[in-house]
Amino acid sequence: MSVRRRERTDRILKIIFKATGLATIALLGAIFFMLFYNSIAFFTHISPIDFFTGSQWNPESVNGTYSIFPLLASTGLVAFGSMFIAVPLGILTAAYISEFAPRKLQIVLKPVIEMLAAIPSVAIGFLGIVLIGPAIAKLFGIQNGLNALNGSILLAVMALPTIITIAEDAINAVPQTYKEASFALGANKWATLFKVTIPAALPGLIAAVMLGLGRALGETMTVLMATGNAAALPKGFLDSIRTITATIAIEMGEVPYQTTHYFALFAIAAVLFVITLVINLLGEYFANRFRKFHA
Amino acid sequence: MDQIKLSAHSLNLSFGEKQILKNINIDFIKNQVISLIGPSGCGKSTLLRSFNRMHDLSPDAHVKGTLKLDNLDLYDKNISVTEIRKRIGMVFQKPNPLPKSIYENLSYGLNIHEFPKNEIPDLIEKALKESYLWDEVKDELKKPAVKLSGGQQQRLCIARTVVLRPEVILMDEPCSALDPISTGKIEELIMSLKKDYTIVIVTHNMQQAQRISDKVAFMYLGEVIEFDSTENVFKNPQQELTRNYVGGHFG
Ligand SMILES: Nc1ncnc2c1ncn2[C@@H]1O[C@H](COP(=O)(O)OP(=O)(O)OP(=O)(O)O)[C@@H](O)[C@H]1O
Ligand SMILES: [Mg+2]
């Protein structure tokens, strides 16, 4: 092959790589632009004050009320509920795997937990409908088990692999010398875990929680299937709810193009986008701090 | 009559199949400083760590033989390892303060062993004074311990051990990561601690061993080759191996 031909191949390859890189960035930019462009269109119809402070999401009614509040409350409620379950469970599991489990069990547990992340969310939603929902209904003596509690449990299951994996890395990265210091002073395994290892791993644990929370907030299919889809302000975990994600998924297919309702869905998507963005950035920030700390 | 504080008899230790310590018999006298010397990998740290049972943490370590603190069998199933580690403190090669404040590094052990809360501040002050650290840190006890210099960190680690009022202090090359001035301070500290504690120290520094120790044990390939007064080991060694090692004609 002549030198010139080789140079040409080189050039072409370079262009291809550059193009794919730029395409990704362009795609992100386009999504961002689309979300905010349509949101702005929405706010020319409805005032942001009504949007954030109202109490009803009811686009079908005669003069259509568009308050994100019940949806945001729903999203917040399941996310909080799921973290309430997944954070202690995830961190203790991570601590167990990293500090207490015999090596053989460790080798089995880690990939099994990572595999949990591969279960499609539809399957988990299904589990919520046929198993956990009825169980909740029976346990609390209510008619309908498709509620915030159900969603919280399922989202906890979905966030657990992320939390456990990252938390385990964080706990594992705590220098052995800290633990030795603690043991040599007469502390037992538990005192060492709770007073030395976990505090030392804290930035990494916060990162784990943030990324798990990001996962829970963005999840759509599971909550759509398992939380009852009532777009009213929830009063507690036994109420049916409807999250931002589920609302978009349900309504987007039927809404007439470029109506207020259509724009409203972009607006709530933009809000969710900002929230998850902030949470992911926080997660990254803590993950980085934790890496620096152990460098 | 000299009182035997710490002893090992017929001690054999292996990691899995690999035997590291071979039939060790050694007695350490109360209120003496004993240096363990010998080439790298000969088992000095392993011997030291068998006294405060740090090998409990490695599942493939097998300890056979009798180790005693006074008349207490250190590997007796019925006594708590926590209590042993309170009575036999340890200082490590690399200063390893906990990622907490200076004050908390000392209160940590006191809380673990449930010292009365109201006595803790005084105990901490006393231990810091004994470790020659008080004047340097008394105004910044809340500062993270890792902000201290390496030498100060190591004195903090000694203070953290001393505050529990142990009977024996094990030190594994406590000066190897320090500059000569910090090393000097630690040596001075060791000499002053001798009146209250029995100190077993691993060192690669022959001058240091001569400066601080009453007795010296020379180890080679998992055995104690010679154990005698510092004077005899350095000036008049009985074994060929010892003579070569302390004379610097080794390996
Ligand atoms: N936890 C362990 N598992 C397996 N082997 C070990 C373990 N700890 C130490 N060893 C081995 O035991 C031998 C003695 O190690 P030890 O640390 O006691 O030597 P040392 O005399 O302290 O050496 P140095 O002067 O370099 O510190 C070495 O061959 C080492 O590889
Ligand atoms: Mg060593």
Side-chain angles (χ1 to χ4, degrees):
Chain A
M1 215 198 289
S2 73
V3 174
R4 196 169 315 151
R5 273 185 63 189
R6 213 179 304 158
E7 276 180 353
R8 222 182 61 187
T9 342
D10 246 26
R11 236 189 359 256
I12 292 173
L13 279 177
K14 228 181 242 165
I15 291 172
I16 292 176
F17 277 110
K18 213 183 221 169
T20 48
L22 285 178
T24 317
I25 295 176
L27 202 64
L28 247 172
I31 292 172
F32 195 80
F33 178 76
M34 183 183 72
L35 271 182
F36 285 91
Y37 180 80
N38 287 301
S39 305
I40 290 167
F42 170 73
F43 287 120
T44 59
H45 296 213
I46 305 283
S47 96
I49 298 174
D50 291 343
F51 178 65
F52 284 109
T53 59
S55 65
Q56 283 202 351
W57 175 265
N58 199 355
E60 310 283 288
S61 70
V62 193
N63 22 4
T65 45
Y66 296 95
S67 164
I68 194 180
F69 193 62
L71 310 181
L72 201 56
S74 297
T75 293
L77 192 68
V78 272
F80 174 80
S82 67
M83 288 302 112
F84 190 79
I85 301 167
V87 169
L89 201 61
I91 291 179
L92 289 182
T93 309
Y96 173 73
I97 295 175
S98 165
E99 307 288 298
F100 297 99
R103 229 167 286 167
K104 277 185 197 141
L105 189 60
Q106 245 174 24
I107 292 168
V108 180
L109 268 180
K110 280 178 81 169
V112 166
I113 284 166
E114 273 158 36
M115 247 152 59
L116 211 61
I119 302 176
S121 49
V122 170
I124 294 194
F126 190 66
L127 195 76
I129 293 175
V130 302
L131 197 75
I132 300 179
I136 291 174
K138 204 163 187 190
L139 195 66
F140 291 94
I142 48 177
Q143 293 242 311
N144 180 7
L146 299 183
N147 54 24
L149 179 61
N150 195 352
S152 297
I153 294 171
L154 299 176
L155 287 183
V157 172
M158 302 193 67
L160 269 174
T162 310
I163 295 182
I164 294 174
T165 309
I166 300 175
E168 206 267 334
D169 287 346
I171 291 173
N172 216 356
V174 172
Q176 186 65 27
T177 56
Y178 291 171
K179 295 176 212 163
E180 279 197 332
S182 172
F183 288 128
L185 290 167
N188 60 21
K189 276 184 168 184
W190 297 107
T192 303
L193 177 67
F194 287 109
K195 292 183 181 164
V196 174
T197 312
I198 287 184
L202 204 59
L205 296 180
I206 294 174
V209 172
M210 289 296 170
L211 296 178
L213 181 59
R215 174 114 213 253
L217 284 172
E219 173 52 36
T220 307
M221 188 49 77
T222 310
V223 286
L224 184 126
M225 290 169 76
T227 60
N229 293 317
L233 196 62
K235 287 179 207 67
F237 278 99
L238 296 180
D239 281 356
S240 288
I241 55 162
R242 197 161 91 187
T243 63
I244 296 177
T245 49
T247 304
I248 297 169
I250 292 167
E251 297 179 8
M252 204 46 155
E254 294 161 6
V255 66
Y257 188 55
Q258 297 217 327
T259 53
T260 308
H261 187 183
Y262 172 90
F263 291 128
L265 296 179
F266 279 95
I268 60 173
V271 170
L272 184 66
F273 176 72
V274 170
I275 294 173
T276 36
L277 189 71
V278 168
I279 286 181
N280 274 304
L281 287 178
L282 277 176
E284 281 300 318
Y285 168 78
F286 280 108
N288 280 333
R289 259 195 42 180
F290 140 77
R291 274 180 219 123
K292 229 178 284 165
F293 180 68
H294 289 292
Chain B
M1 179 56 204
D2 287 339
Q3 184 194 336
I4 295 171
K5 188 69 200 173
L6 191 67
S7 67
H9 283 278
S10 319
L11 169 62
N12 285 278
L13 188 149
S14 53
F15 290 113
E17 297 291 289
K18 206 168 125 210
Q19 184 161 13
I20 305 296
L21 298 180
K22 297 165 194 157
N23 192 31
I24 305 259
N25 292 287
I26 199 162
D27 294 330
F28 301 127
I29 307 291
K30 194 176 174 192
N31 297 115
Q32 285 196 345
V33 176
I34 300 95
S35 289
L36 302 182
I37 60 170
S40 211
C42 70
K44 304 180 294 295
S45 301
T46 306
L47 174 59
L48 205 64
R49 293 161 68 90
S50 53
F51 287 110
N52 66 341
R53 286 183 46 180
M54 289 303 270
H55 298 306
D56 286 15
L57 304 172
S58 22
D60 54 348
H62 298 287
V63 185
K64 275 188 295 193
T66 317
L67 289 92
K68 282 188 169 170
L69 175 70
D70 295 327
N71 283 321
L72 179 74
D73 180 354
L74 294 172
Y75 282 76
D76 186 335
K77 293 267 178 303
N78 297 321
I79 62 171
S80 89
V81 65
T82 298
E83 189 57 26
I84 290 175
R85 291 181 186 151
K86 176 172 173 282
R87 293 176 64 184
I88 305 180
M90 182 165 223
V91 177
F92 297 82
Q93 176 168 2
K94 221 177 123 224
N96 60 348
L98 294 166
K100 299 172 182 292
S101 73
I102 295 172
Y103 188 89
E104 285 165 332
N105 262 278
L106 279 96
S107 64
Y108 183 76
L110 294 171
N111 287 323
I112 295 277
H113 296 287
E114 297 174 343
F115 280 66
K117 286 261 180 286
N118 56 337
E119 289 174 18
I120 287 181
D122 288 340
L123 291 172
I124 289 178
E125 182 175 336
K126 186 155 173 259
L128 284 171
K129 280 180 176 156
E130 285 172 356
S131 311
Y132 303 150
L133 198 57
W134 177 251
D135 291 333
E136 291 161 59
V137 303
K138 63 171 183 282
D139 298 321
E140 39 188 20
L141 294 173
K142 295 229 153 52
K143 199 164 94 167
V146 289
K147 293 267 165 70
L148 296 172
S149 75
Q152 288 174 324
Q153 285 185 21
Q154 195 62 303
R155 274 179 281 146
L156 180 69
C157 291
I158 295 175
R160 175 176 82 184
T161 306
V162 165
V163 78
L164 296 178
R165 300 293 142 199
E167 294 155 47
V168 176
I169 302 179
L170 309 170
M171 299 186 176
D172 195 348
E173 301 184 46
C175 303
S176 67
L178 306 181
D179 64 274
I181 293 176
S182 307
T183 300
K185 285 188 186 160
I186 305 252
E187 286 182 9
E188 198 185 323
L189 172 57
I190 290 172
M191 301 303 285
S192 81
L193 292 174
K194 191 169 92 166
K195 65 179 190 307
D196 299 313
Y197 308 97
T198 306
I199 298 173
V200 185
I201 177 172
V202 173
T203 177
H204 278 288
N205 181 332
M206 295 304 120
Q207 283 75 37
Q208 179 170 71
Q210 294 185 58
R211 281 192 298 265
I212 62 177
S213 39
D214 299 290
K215 292 185 89 174
V216 174
F218 170 64
M219 291 180 69
Y220 186 67
L221 297 180
E223 292 180 79
V224 174
I225 303 295
E226 191 156 352
F227 180 43
D228 209 335
S229 70
T230 306
E231 169 109 15
N232 283 347
V233 169
F234 283 99
K235 301 275 149 56
N236 186 21
Q238 300 302 301
Q239 303 288 326
E240 181 76 30
L241 278 167
T242 318
R243 195 170 318 138
N244 286 342
Y245 186 76
V246 301
H249 315 289
F250 216 79

